[in-house]
Amino acid sequence: MSGLLECEWCLKRSDPRIDKFYSTEVYEKKRVLCADCYYHLKVVWCPNGDY
Amino acid sequence: MDQTDRIIILWFARAFLLYFVVYVIAVPAQSACIVENQGDIVYLGETCDVSKVVGWGGQFAYFSSGYPEETPTKIVDVNGFMYKHYINPEKYVVGSWFKWDGKVEANGNQLAFVVKSGTRPNVTIINITPNSTTTISVPNSTPFNSKMQFIIARGENLNYIYSNKGQYDGKGWMWLFEGSNEFLGMPMDYNSLGYHFNFTSKITQSFSPDSYTGYIQLAGYNKKQDVFYSPDNSLKSVYVDVKPINLKDYSYLQYEEKFFGMATDKNYSDDIIIPLQIEIKDPSITISDYYEQNDILIVKGKTTLSLGTNISCIVDPDHWVTRKEKADNTYTVEVTGDIDKERDYVVSLPLKWGELSIGEHTIRLIGDNGALNIVQDKEFWTSDVLSQTTQRPDYTKVIYDEYGVHSITSPPTPTPTVCPITTITTIVTPVPTITPINITQTITVAPVVPTKKPTPTMINVPLDPGLGMLAIGFIILWRRK
């Protein structure tokens, strides 16, 4: 482990200095998501932000 | 000094250099591995120095009966490699190994070492001080026959006191079935506090991490040890009409059952038998949780170190340079809890997640009780991630470790920008005054332009009209001349 951050949705780990991560509220809890999951959740699945 | 002397000195220097390289550097390197002394533990697969236990016969023998005066079951030849001898799992078996010179003779072959399976635990022991003893004291109110159990960290120096004296004061023995016959009926010391048994660092270090059972045996009304272990590997009674139990006929796992059966048989024993369970664990400090609360970092966890051990905590120890800085940023607590469970600790130290720099950080815990010194590091990282809680994306700090996201700090609250207060200094330049004068001839007087800011000390002389007229008159008269 060398400082890799884990996406709380897809559990993929990557370096936050290289890949963008987002903090957003999912299921009433603030979670850290990778950019892919963040956009899937926000745009594709729940365009209105209702998960 | 002639040429011959120089050659002699040169040869002496070479000889000394050779001696230094061979005996000071090379020879100790032969013994760099584990040195086995008589009775020490060695683990299968280890390479160790057996020079102190091999004897002149150059062989080790194993006796399946555990009785070293019979024909050996296995013999291993050291073959001269006594400084780096490989405990080959294909040749050695778990148990006691004895020096062997090829002959079966009574009391002639001594124990060399005890082979165990598994790996040698990596324990850092510093400064083993006999005085740094943890005391476990069983209170007087404890009823007889209630099971005594406790956890000891390997390498710990533990003084066990059984203070439940009752009416049977005076003699007590410790039975511990841990794989050898060493602790079968070890006498306990006795004083006004109760029965003592000192598990020294060497003893606890020699145990593999496991759970061991045993008994405390206290003498009954006859003040004698009614059942005892005899060096001929048998259990005997003080009463001559009781038949001894020859332990050679049983496996080691049955020893405990045989002792218990004999010592609790009321026909020939009135000894008090108190069950004992000792769990030997590797010394450890684990962090179960860490979090920030009201600008305080709280670190919680468990340890196998004894009660009263000091646990110190410092965040980013390498960040602090001087000893004083390190000391000022180290916070220490004592281990609390129960003797029969892993102990607890809670350390709190001033720290704000938000003030941590982006990157890697370390929480270092140091457990020290004089006999053991354990250092446990916990690494975690901080990173900025985009926060979408507000309309305009902003950054928030996330704390994470090898298990994932640990905590997310609140996004920064936007604060109104306040313009810096600036002081404007106004310099007022005085305007020169022109006094009109009535003359027949027009004279243009150029206004006086100050070249520098007039100083407060400057004296302004008012222009008198009378003097002006007089001066003009003089000029006219002079020009007419």
Side-chain angles (χ1 to χ4, degrees), chain B residues 41 116 175-184 203 206-208 211-213 252:
Chain B
I41 306 289
K116 288 195 173 184
W175 293 72
L176 200 58
F177 300 91
E178 46 72 53
S180 75
N181 300 338
E182 197 179 341
F183 296 99
L184 302 185
I203 292 174
S206 70
F207 287 2
S208 299
S211 186
Y212 300 96
T213 53
Y252 191 86

Side-chain angles (χ1 to χ4, degrees), chain A residues 1-6 8 13 16 20-24 30-32 38, chain B residues 381 383 385-388 396 398 400-405 408-411:
Chain A
M1 172 77 179
S2 55
L4 299 183
L5 182 55
E6 186 180 79
E8 291 184 75
R13 286 172 183 261
K20 207 173 266 186
F21 278 85
Y22 289 85
S23 131
T24 191
K30 208 187 284 176
R31 297 167 201 274
V32 171
Y38 176 76
Chain B
W381 289 264
S383 180
V385 295
L386 282 163
S387 170
Q388 285 292 90
T396 189
V398 60
Y400 61 103
D401 57 23
E402 67 268 36
Y403 301 109
V405 174
I408 304 169
T409 56
S410 300

